Amino acid sequence: MFLAQAHTRLAGALDALDEILGPLGKMFADAGFELALVGGSVRDALLGRDMPDLDFTTDARPDDILGLIGGWADAHWDIGKQFGTIGMRRRGYQIEITTYRAEAYDPDSRKPTVAFGRHLDDDLVRRDFTIGAMAVRLPSRVFVDPFGGLSDLQEGIIRTPGRAEMSFSDDPLRMMRAARFASQLGFTPADEVVAAMTDMAERITIISAERVRDELVKLICGREPRTGVELLVATGLADHILPEVAGLRLERDEHHRHKDVYQHSLTVLTQAVELEGRYAERQTEQGIAADDPQRIPVPDFVVRFAALMHDVGKPATRKFESSGAVTFYHHDVVGAKLTAKRMRALHFDKDTIKKVARLVELHLRFYGYGDAGWTDSAVRRYVNDAGDLLTRLHILTRSDVTTRNRRKAERLAHAYDDLEHRIQVLAEQEELDSIRPDLDGTQIMALLDLPPGPAVGRAYRFLLDQRMEHGPLGEDRAAELLREWWAAQQAQQAES
């Protein structure tokens, strides 16, 4: 049944792409060259997935490719020419055509050495996995599968066309791709693939941080990111790319009971994925605009990665008390710093680093709300501290409840429901998403007869604190409080 459906899906995808495949295949054939749709494009077509990017392979050399597509493509670029790849855009599709090639890494180099090939099968054997080593010859549309990729697609298995050790030696990043496919597709790596990943894990260190980062993002944004992370940790790859996550596997002490931090973090990640979808659906129903900073994209790397990393500060802060209790004081602050450091090492952009680290830092802020209750001032501070991350903080905080005690879980859920309701009520009353003092900097300088400088900043922070504590004051009351505060400041300076 699967095989018949897969071929039907493939035929349908090829028909839908005929305006691209037909002319392109004929163009190469008329010039005496072979051309085939290949790799992920074929795999995705067989699975019925979207194909926004199209990958082709050919025996034509890069200069020949450029000569053929120059007047056909809407735009083209040759940034990958030295590796045999020419990129182009045609009618909204991103297209890459690569000369048949063999590539291998020098043991001490991050850059591949490229040798061009002459036959399709020789090119396919050098691809990462059998499910990416299938092709469709054009313009004939002959399906080519020399290594059983369709069967592995049916069985949900990740295998390499040749020996796994040779494949991962050629390109160590393929080890991360195995984990990424486990996450994206829910597939299981073959035993020999896992063994090779384990034996060769250290070789990932020769790959550039940018390439590792890009694979990690795809893994975290997959359908089952927990599965991918578990594979990284089990094979030792995480020791090199995410050592903080691998370090969550704390040794258990029979005299000191505490939850398994590693398994807890994986559960939080899984729950964050589920809640991400719920919040996104709710926002759609509420008509929240796509460009609203609180709008949750699906998948959302920021909230997912924060969920995975939220407790990475625990190993460094764990202490055993004389009572037998285990504490992790300030692990939120330590974890935020460790998260930012790891993301910088992986060359993430500053904005993404700031967001993820801030969520890690804030993930404990809610606890205690249900027991002691919060004033309106505390609620305002919670919203203000979260800023554009408030919805993500809702997701992370709710996901962080993994207790098996049903009554405790229900109590925490009820408490957070109450907090969200209070935030909504206050937001309707006070526009919480843009809390500002009742007087701006210009008004402060005029009122106190001050030039721009640190004193204005201190006055601004005083008024902001008053706004947090008491809600909207109005300009007259704010001015009165500001004068009183300024008089007290000057009196203190005179005494000192």
Side-chain angles (χ1 to χ4, degrees):
M1 179 67 75
F2 173 85
L3 297 180
Q5 291 177 340
H7 280 295
T8 298
R9 288 191 290 264
L10 176 61
L14 296 178
D15 286 342
L17 290 168
D18 189 61
E19 64 176 356
I20 300 292
L21 305 184
L24 197 58
K26 185 177 186 304
M27 189 187 309
F28 275 72
D30 289 348
F33 295 115
E34 297 179 357
L35 183 72
L37 186 69
V38 72
S41 298
V42 177
R43 179 194 67 235
D44 290 343
L46 290 164
L47 291 173
R49 298 175 57 174
D50 292 337
M51 301 165 60
D53 303 324
L54 302 176
D55 295 323
F56 298 86
T57 188
T58 178
D59 58 346
R61 296 299 191 260
D63 286 335
D64 297 322
I65 298 172
L66 284 170
L68 288 170
I69 59 92
W72 178 79
D74 296 332
H76 68 272
W77 48 93
D78 61 2
I79 190 171
K81 181 179 178 181
Q82 62 177 320
F83 302 117
T85 299
I86 301 299
M88 69 196 74
R89 185 172 59 253
R90 172 74 175 182
R91 295 187 178 179
Y93 287 96
Q94 294 291 116
I95 298 171
E96 285 191 351
I97 303 179
T98 302
T99 303
Y100 296 154
R101 66 185 183 183
E103 63 179 37
Y105 277 77
D106 182 276
D108 299 316
S109 174
R110 293 180 174 181
K111 296 182 179 181
T113 57
V114 178
F116 296 140
R118 295 184 177 278
H119 304 286
L120 177 59
D121 283 2
D122 292 339
D123 181 86
L124 294 179
V125 76
R126 297 182 179 97
R127 294 191 172 259
D128 50 8
F129 304 108
T130 58
I131 58 175
M134 299 176 285
V136 176
R137 290 186 180 274
L138 298 172
S140 64
R141 294 194 180 185
V142 172
F143 178 61
V144 181
D145 182 19
F147 306 105
L150 184 56
S151 176
D152 287 342
L153 206 60
Q154 179 182 21
E155 299 297 327
I157 296 174
I158 301 172
R159 288 192 306 113
T160 53
R163 290 177 57 243
E165 294 85 355
M166 183 64 70
S167 179
F168 297 156
S169 179
D170 281 350
D171 187 351
L173 191 65
R174 290 172 176 174
M175 296 186 287
M176 284 205 66
R177 289 198 193 114
R180 188 240 293 181
F181 287 135
S183 170
Q184 288 183 330
L185 303 175
F187 284 14
T188 302
D191 290 343
E192 65 271 17
V193 170
V194 175
M197 291 171 68
T198 304
D199 291 342
M200 304 176 67
E202 187 177 4
R203 190 160 166 73
I204 195 67
T205 59
I206 74 168
I207 301 298
S208 69
E210 290 83 1
R211 296 184 72 206
V212 170
R213 175 203 63 209
D214 291 347
E215 285 297 324
L216 178 62
V217 170
K218 293 175 184 176
L219 184 158
I220 296 297
C221 290
R223 188 177 67 191
E224 300 177 18
R226 175 176 185 150
T227 302
V229 172
E230 287 180 315
L231 185 57
L232 293 180
V233 172
T235 57
L237 279 166
D239 293 336
H240 304 287
I241 62 174
L242 283 179
E244 296 81 8
V245 173
L248 291 173
R249 296 172 297 174
L250 298 174
E251 293 183 7
R252 304 298 294 274
D253 187 306
E254 63 182 21
H255 301 295
H256 300 88
R257 296 181 178 273
H258 61 82
K259 69 177 67 176
D260 185 321
V261 181
Y262 173 60
Q263 291 299 325
H264 163 74
S265 297
L266 293 176
T267 301
V268 174
L269 171 59
T270 300
Q271 293 182 165
V273 172
E274 181 182 355
L275 283 175
E276 165 195 283
R278 291 186 192 176
Y279 271 81
E281 289 179 7
R282 186 187 308 171
Q283 289 179 331
T284 298
E285 294 171 357
Q286 294 171 343
I288 296 178
D291 60 352
D292 189 307
Q294 295 293 348
R295 183 64 190 247
I296 295 295
V298 178
D300 182 25
F301 173 80
V302 170
V303 76
R304 292 183 179 202
F305 199 56
L308 177 64
M309 302 291 284
H310 78 285
D311 273 348
V312 295
K314 280 191 170 181
T317 58
R318 182 174 63 163
K319 289 186 179 180
F320 298 117
E321 304 294 340
S322 58
S323 63
V326 182
T327 63
F328 303 95
Y329 294 131
H330 308 301
H331 77 268
D332 46 346
V333 177
V334 173
K337 292 179 180 178
L338 290 173
T339 297
K341 181 178 180 181
R342 177 53 46 198
M343 294 182 73
R344 284 194 295 270
L346 291 171
H347 293 190
F348 277 91
D349 63 275
K350 292 181 180 179
D351 184 60
T352 303
I353 294 172
K354 182 179 179 181
K355 288 178 178 177
V356 175
R358 184 60 171 159
L359 283 173
V360 172
E361 184 179 4
L362 292 173
H363 83 271
L364 291 180
R365 189 66 63 87
F366 160 74
Y367 291 94
Y369 175 84
D371 297 327
W374 282 1
T375 62
D376 285 351
S377 171
V379 175
R380 292 187 193 100
R381 293 181 189 280
Y382 188 79
V383 173
N384 188 69
D385 289 347
D388 291 347
L389 298 172
L390 181 61
T391 304
R392 289 182 168 107
L393 185 57
H394 291 336
I395 294 172
L396 178 57
T397 304
R398 288 184 180 274
S399 300
D400 197 20
V401 178
T402 62
T403 179
R404 295 180 181 179
N405 185 321
R406 189 177 69 179
R407 292 183 63 184
K408 181 179 180 181
E410 290 176 350
R411 177 173 58 80
L412 289 169
H414 176 74
Y416 208 86
D417 288 342
D418 183 66
L419 175 59
E420 284 202 59
H421 175 70
R422 289 184 63 191
I423 289 172
Q424 181 179 354
V425 170
L426 283 173
E428 292 172 354
Q429 296 173 350
E430 305 178 14
E431 299 183 358
L432 283 186
D433 59 343
S434 57
I435 290 179
R436 297 290 185 273
D438 296 86
L439 302 175
D440 61 24
T442 300
Q443 291 171 304
I444 290 171
M445 288 188 289
L447 194 67
L448 302 181
D449 192 23
L450 289 174
V456 179
R458 292 196 301 271
Y460 185 91
R461 287 190 292 274
F462 165 76
L463 287 179
L464 179 59
D465 187 68
Q466 295 300 305
R467 172 69 172 79
M468 291 288 185
E469 189 67 29
H470 304 292
L473 299 169
E475 291 187 7
D476 292 342
R477 177 57 177 158
E480 180 182 350
L481 290 173
L482 180 61
R483 290 190 183 96
E484 292 175 359
W485 172 82
W486 184 242
Q489 293 288 304
Q490 290 181 308
Q492 289 178 4
Q493 290 179 2
E495 291 177 2
S496 61

